[in-house]
């Protein structure tokens, strides 16, 4: 069996927080069987956001994205589980909500790409970098869920 200790970074963007979707999004990850190991409500600095989106710095929407993400609170989270990065991305849906299938977070809850409510790591490397950027090691809680045996063989 593959390692179940894979972790991903998930952030509920300011539009998701302002619309009161935090609980719904957490519910979906919990119901899937993933384990929450870190979470905080934060108003991210522009420096943190520029670093987070550094791979997009040459794109025309970069400055607006940083400004938008700095416009309100963000719920930053770390989730753990088997294939959590790939599965989490499927749960989020496509970046553009119009391309997202019903049943996905963006397919059910979003209309426009500029307000797509959630970010999720797209690879193991980006997950590690994003987790380290947003959380200190002391903020990651290591525990065994009582549901573990009911989720994994």
């Amino acid at each position: 069996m593959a390692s179940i200790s894979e972790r991903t970074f998930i952030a509920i963007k300011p539009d998701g927080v302002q619309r009161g979707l935090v609980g719904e999004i957490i519910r979906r990850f919990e119901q899937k069987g993933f384990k929450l190991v870190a979470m905080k409500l934060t108003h991210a600095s522009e420096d943190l956001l520029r670093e987070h989106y550094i791979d997009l710095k040459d794109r025309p929407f970069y400055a607006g994205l940083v400004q938008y993400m700095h416009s309100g609170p963000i719920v930053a989270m770390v989730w753990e589980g088997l294939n959590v990065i790939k599965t989490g991305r499927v749960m989020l849906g496509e970046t553009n909500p119009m391309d997202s299938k019903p049943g996905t977070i963006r397919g059910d809850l979003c209309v426009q790409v500029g307000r797509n409510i959630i970010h999720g790591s797209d690879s193991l490397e980006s997950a590690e970098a994003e987790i380290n950027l947003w959380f200190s090691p002391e903020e990651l809680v290591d525990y065994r869920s009582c549901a573990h045996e009911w989720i994994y063989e």
Side-chain angles (χ1 to χ4, degrees), residues 28 33 38 48-49 60 88 118 120-121 141:
R28 289 180 184 220
L48 173 69
L49 294 165
I118 194 163
S121 301
V141 180

Side-chain angles (χ1 to χ4, degrees), residues 95-145:
T95 301
N96 186 340
M98 291 188 335
D99 299 329
S100 295
K101 295 179 180 171
T104 66
I105 291 167
R106 291 177 179 146
D108 290 350
L109 306 173
C110 303
V111 176
Q112 286 189 306
V113 69
R115 298 294 182 264
N116 66 6
I117 73 171
I118 194 163
H119 165 84
S121 301
D122 62 5
S123 68
L124 187 57
E125 296 76 27
S126 68
E128 289 174 0
E130 291 170 351
I131 290 166
N132 290 330
L133 183 63
W134 288 81
F135 291 93
S136 67
E138 298 80 30
E139 293 176 297
L140 302 173
V141 180
D142 190 22
Y143 66 100
R144 185 171 178 93
S145 168

Side-chain angles (χ1 to χ4, degrees), residues 7 16 27 33 36-37 46 51-52 68 86 96 100 110 119 128-130 132 143 146 149-150:
R7 290 180 172 175
R27 180 190 65 79
L36 182 64
V37 297
E46 288 186 23
E51 176 79 19
H52 178 84
Y68 158 67
K86 181 179 179 183
N96 186 340
S100 295
C110 303
H119 165 84
E128 289 174 0
E130 291 170 351
N132 290 330
Y143 66 100
C146 62
E149 303 306 322
W150 300 107

Side-chain angles (χ1 to χ4, degrees), residues 2-16:
S3 171
I4 59 171
S5 63
E6 181 178 278
R7 290 180 172 175
T8 193
F9 175 75
I10 300 291
I12 303 173
K13 297 177 181 181
D15 54 324

Side-chain angles (χ1 to χ4, degrees), residues 39-124:
M39 181 173 68
K40 61 183 165 185
L41 177 68
T42 184
H43 188 219
S45 70
E46 288 186 23
D47 288 341
L48 173 69
L49 294 165
R50 279 192 286 272
E51 176 79 19
H52 178 84
Y53 288 112
I54 194 71
D55 59 319
L56 301 174
K57 71 177 177 13
D58 295 327
R59 305 293 287 270
F61 57 83
Y62 175 73
L65 175 61
V66 170
Q67 181 183 7
Y68 158 67
M69 291 294 288
H70 183 65
S71 71
I74 295 169
V75 175
M77 300 175 284
V78 178
W79 290 90
E80 182 178 282
L82 180 63
N83 296 318
V84 69
I85 296 168
K86 181 179 179 183
T87 305
R89 295 285 294 184
V90 171
M91 290 170 62
L92 268 57
E94 300 299 321
T95 301
N96 186 340
M98 291 188 335
D99 299 329
S100 295
K101 295 179 180 171
T104 66
I105 291 167
R106 291 177 179 146
D108 290 350
L109 306 173
C110 303
V111 176
Q112 286 189 306
V113 69
R115 298 294 182 264
N116 66 6
I117 73 171
I118 194 163
H119 165 84
S121 301
D122 62 5
S123 68
L124 187 57

